[in-house]
Structures are given as C-alpha cells and as structure tokens.
Amino acid sequence: EVLTSFPDLKFNVEMKAYSPKFSRRHWGTEIAKVIRKCGAADRIIVTSFDFFMLKELEKEYPGLQSGWAYDDGMSASLKEASEQWFQNPDEDIESFEPTVDGSGFIRWLMESDLVGRSVGATLVDLEWTVMDKDTVEKFHKRGQAVGVYCFHPYDTTFVQTPLSDEEEERLIRRVVKEGIDWVETDDPERMMALLDKIEAGQ
C-alpha cells in the first residue's frame, strides 16, 4: 500500500532483524515479490542485518539494490549465525572465522566485503562507529553505494557511543565530505536543514 500510494518517492526498506537467523530467510523472498508486484525496483534499496534474508531476496529478484548493514555491537550474534550458515551449506563463502573480538572482527568483515560478495550486494549500510577515513572510498571503488546511520536518534537504547549535538554535526559534515550516498536519521527536518547549510557552504 505504501509503495503504490507514493509512486514518486524513493524508499530504504530495512528487513528488520537484530541478528541473522536461517529460519526466517524466506522473508527476503516475500519482500522481493512485493517489490516486483509494485514495479518499484528502480526506487527501492533494501538493507538488513540478516544475510540469509538478503541472499533469498536476490535469488528471487536478481539485480535489486540491496546490501548488508553493520553496527558496532553485532559481533557476538554473528558467531551463532555463521554456524547456521555452514549447517546449510548451499552458499559460496569459502571461509568465515567468527570471533567475539568486536571491533576487529567487524572491521575485517566489512573491509573484506565477504558477506557483500556472497549475497550480491550493490550497497552497504554502516553505523558511523565502524567507519574510518577511507571506508567510503573503498566501497565506492567496488561500485557500491554507502549509507550511514543513525543521526539524531529518538531511541538511544542501542547507541553505544552517544554524541553531543556539536559532535554529531561535525560527524555529519565529515561523512558528507567523504562522499556518502545517503544518511539515515530519526529527525529528517533537522537533517535537511543541516544538509542545506552544508550545500550552501556554511
């Protein structure tokens, strides 16, 4: 209903999941069917923390703009997910070494694009805390768009690195300068006001 009611809008559809789970992989299939039925593939990107759903999404509708999301608290949940993956070995990943050494593992997984290559990703969605100064450049060289989240969050339950307003503005200016393709926010009016200032050179 949303896709047909707003035919001129572009959408970022996140297939919600706090961690990957093989048993719900077919949700990706159903999302792909809805996108095809609505003829909306050219105005939708699909992201998820669940690579099983993303894999099935691309199987059902090859060529959709989709990609995996990374955050700074995901490493522990991925150990269980990787074990599920290899209990159902129809995938093309050759090696996967899970560890609960959070930041190092997430950075390795992100920079290697291991999951992205496996699910056929054309983009990546990153929590700002897992980025460094050349992250955007590396993904752009692979031909992948890069999104960053979440700015001006209303729900801070899972925010491990809170920012002051001044710190957040500096960060947004930095990622825009680095060439980020989209930003995610809980306060679009506030974000658009800042982006207008940046575009005006203020």
Side-chain angles (χ1 to χ4, degrees):
E1 291 178 359
V2 172
L3 293 177
T4 55
S5 297
F6 300 95
D8 298 322
L9 288 183
K10 295 182 179 179
F11 290 87
N12 176 0
V13 176
E14 180 186 350
M15 298 188 293
K16 285 292 186 180
Y18 290 109
S19 63
K21 186 171 291 186
F22 189 78
S23 62
R24 63 176 171 229
R25 65 195 182 280
H26 297 302
W27 294 5
T29 303
E30 297 306 312
I31 294 293
K33 289 178 179 177
V34 170
I35 294 171
R36 178 185 287 112
K37 182 178 180 180
C38 295
D42 61 342
R43 56 192 180 92
I44 283 182
I45 62 174
V46 184
T47 61
S48 183
F49 290 106
D50 191 319
F51 44 71
F52 300 117
M53 288 197 285
L54 287 167
K55 187 73 171 179
E56 296 303 314
L57 177 98
E58 287 291 340
K59 282 183 179 179
E60 175 65 28
Y61 199 158
L64 283 177
Q65 301 297 309
S66 66
W68 201 33
Y70 297 82
D71 74 27
D72 58 10
M74 72 193 311
S75 59
S77 64
L78 288 174
K79 183 179 187 299
E80 178 184 354
S82 66
E83 292 167 352
Q84 296 176 63
W85 189 294
F86 286 110
Q87 288 169 4
N88 302 277
D90 62 341
E91 314 301 339
D92 57 354
I93 285 184
E94 296 179 357
S95 63
F96 192 90
E97 297 295 336
T99 173
V100 292
D101 178 15
S103 59
F105 171 63
I106 296 168
R107 181 61 51 78
W108 168 81
L109 189 63
M110 181 181 70
E111 299 284 0
S112 70
D113 196 32
L114 192 62
V115 176
R117 287 184 283 116
S118 176
V119 301
T122 57
L123 54 89
V124 63
D125 198 15
L126 307 174
E127 186 172 15
W128 67 266
T129 51
V130 302
M131 297 175 60
D132 59 24
K133 61 183 179 181
D134 62 351
T135 299
V136 178
E137 180 183 3
K138 287 179 178 178
F139 279 100
H140 280 174
K141 285 181 176 179
R142 296 173 181 148
Q144 296 181 343
V146 183
V148 179
Y149 69 92
C150 175
F151 298 113
H152 315 314
Y154 290 153
D155 182 0
T156 59
T157 304
F158 299 105
V159 175
Q160 299 192 39
T161 310
L163 297 173
S164 67
D165 289 346
E166 293 78 12
E167 290 171 329
E168 192 165 43
E169 179 170 335
R170 285 197 299 270
L171 175 62
I172 293 168
R173 289 179 178 275
R174 192 199 87 194
V175 298
V176 169
K177 184 177 181 180
E178 290 173 357
I180 209 72
D181 297 287
W182 80 89
V183 294
E184 298 174 23
T185 179
D186 289 343
D187 192 338
E189 184 176 358
R190 184 178 175 188
M191 176 62 74
M192 289 304 299
L194 176 56
L195 294 177
D196 286 344
K197 286 174 59 178
I198 294 172
E199 186 175 6
Q202 301 175 10

